[in-house]
Each structure stands twice: as structure tokens, then as C-alpha cells.
């Protein structure tokens, strides 16, 4: 848990730094338009990101959203947040199916908890995806930073009340 908290905290620091550097660059170079799904792809760093996140998610189930979106935001700072979120959710499906099959084969799934989670998550994801596609998403960076801070604080041993207060 500690090393995951440290990874999340490092990702948070990198994201904050990138946000401030990006804001400065935008002021200097003028306003740049956010790109859609046709932006240039950095294949090698994206493949490495996929490998690292796959191992972390397979071992801990932490990182599917928080690590991938944060790293994609750092790799592709001009990509629209709705495209980042859509890409992350779509890549998560095969990754999580592979992990789910592995864990089901090992007998490490509680099916009642799974069904209960899905009853709430399926409509929640639909509502959230509709919301994310209707705004420019500048607030998403700040929301992710706050959530990463709260999660990393908790994983590093901070009291739940403090991490919850940050969130």
C-alpha cells in the first residue's frame, strides 16, 4: 500500500507541476485548442504506461482510473478531458476483463458484492460520461489532483478523517 501511495503522490506532484507549466506556456504562446481523438500518439511511452498499469491493477486493483488518466493527462496535455476519460474507460474494459477472469479462476471474487456494486455503478457511469462530454473539462484536472491527494494520503497512513476532509 505504501508504494502505491507514493506513486499516486508522485503522479499528483507531476500533475500539479504540469498544470502550472502548461498554464504559463499557454499565456506565452496564446490559447491552444484542446485536441480530440485525432491527436498524435506517443506509442512507446503509452505502451510502457499500459504495462506498468496492467501489473499494478492486476496486483492491487488500484490505478485503473487514477493512474491512467493522470499519466495520459501528462503524456497528452492538449487532449480534451472527455477524450482522456473515454479512452481510459474503453481501455479499462479488456484490462479489467482479463483481471476478472484471472481472479474468478482463482476463486477470489465475492459475487454478491460484485452484483451490488454493478447495480450502482452502471447508472453512475452512464450519468458521469454524459456529464463529462458536456463541458470543457478544465476542472477535471483539479478534481483528479484532489482525489489523488486524498487517496495517496490514506494509502500512506493518514487518518481517514483527514483524507476524507481533503476529498
Amino acid at each position: 500500500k505504501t508504494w502505491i501511495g507514493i506513486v499516486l503522490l508522485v503522479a499528483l506532484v507531476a500533475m500539479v507541476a504540469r498544470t502550472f507549466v502548461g498554464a504559463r506556456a499557454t499565456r506565452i504562446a496564446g490559447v491552444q485548442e484542446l485536441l480530440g481523438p485525432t491527436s498524435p500518439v506517443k506509442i512507446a511511452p503509452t505502451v510502457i504506461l499500459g504495462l506498468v498499469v496492467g501489473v499494478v491493477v492486476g496486483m492491487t486493483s488500484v490505478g485503473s482510473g487514477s493512474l491512467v488518466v493522470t499519466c495520459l493527462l501528462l503524456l497528452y496535455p492538449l487532449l480534451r478531458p472527455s477524450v482522456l476519460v473515454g479512452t481510459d474507460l474503453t481501455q479499462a474494459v479488456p484490462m479489467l476483463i482479463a483481471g476478472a477472469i484471472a481472479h474468478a479462476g482463482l476463486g477470489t471474487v465475492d459475487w454478491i458484492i460484485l452484483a451490488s456494486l454493478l447495480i450502482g455503478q452502471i447508472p453512475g457511469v452512464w450519468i458521469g460520461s454524459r456529464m463529462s462530454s458536456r463541458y470543457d473539462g478544465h476542472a477535471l484536472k483539479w478534481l483528479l489532483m484532489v482525489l489523488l491527494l486524498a487517496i495517496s494520503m490514506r494509502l500512506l497512513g493518514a487518518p481517514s478523517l483527514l483524507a476524507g476532509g481533503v476529498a
Side-chain angles (χ1 to χ4, degrees):
K1 279 186 176 181
T2 302
W3 67 272
I4 295 170
I6 291 170
V7 167
L8 289 175
L9 197 54
V10 168
L12 171 69
V13 170
M15 194 170 173
V16 169
R18 182 69 174 232
T19 298
F20 286 113
V21 169
R24 182 175 177 272
T26 300
R27 283 193 306 271
I28 292 170
V31 178
Q32 285 186 301
E33 186 176 327
L34 292 176
L35 301 174
T38 58
S39 69
V41 176
K42 302 169 187 170
I43 293 176
T46 306
V47 169
I48 293 168
L49 167 65
L51 177 65
V52 170
V53 169
V55 170
V56 171
V57 170
M59 288 183 353
T60 66
S61 185
V62 173
S64 178
S66 56
L67 288 177
V68 172
V69 170
T70 302
C71 292
L72 287 176
L73 200 55
L74 294 172
L75 282 172
Y76 305 100
L78 295 179
L79 204 57
R80 283 193 328 263
S82 60
V83 175
L84 287 172
V85 171
T87 302
D88 173 52
L89 288 173
T90 305
Q91 68 80 32
V93 171
M95 178 185 61
L96 295 176
I97 287 173
I101 290 170
H103 280 281
L106 296 169
T108 57
V109 176
D110 186 315
W111 297 101
I112 296 171
I113 293 174
L114 171 68
S116 301
L117 283 170
L118 289 176
I119 289 169
Q121 284 179 341
I122 291 172
V125 166
W126 184 82
I127 292 167
S129 61
R130 303 280 296 183
M131 290 171 59
S132 77
S133 67
R134 294 185 179 171
Y135 73 101
D136 67 0
H138 291 290
L140 181 62
K141 287 182 184 180
W142 294 102
L143 176 62
L144 285 171
M145 285 188 267
V146 169
L147 289 175
L148 283 175
L149 177 61
I151 292 167
S152 61
M153 287 173 60
R154 186 66 191 117
L155 287 172
L156 291 171
S160 297
L161 188 59
L162 179 60
V166 167

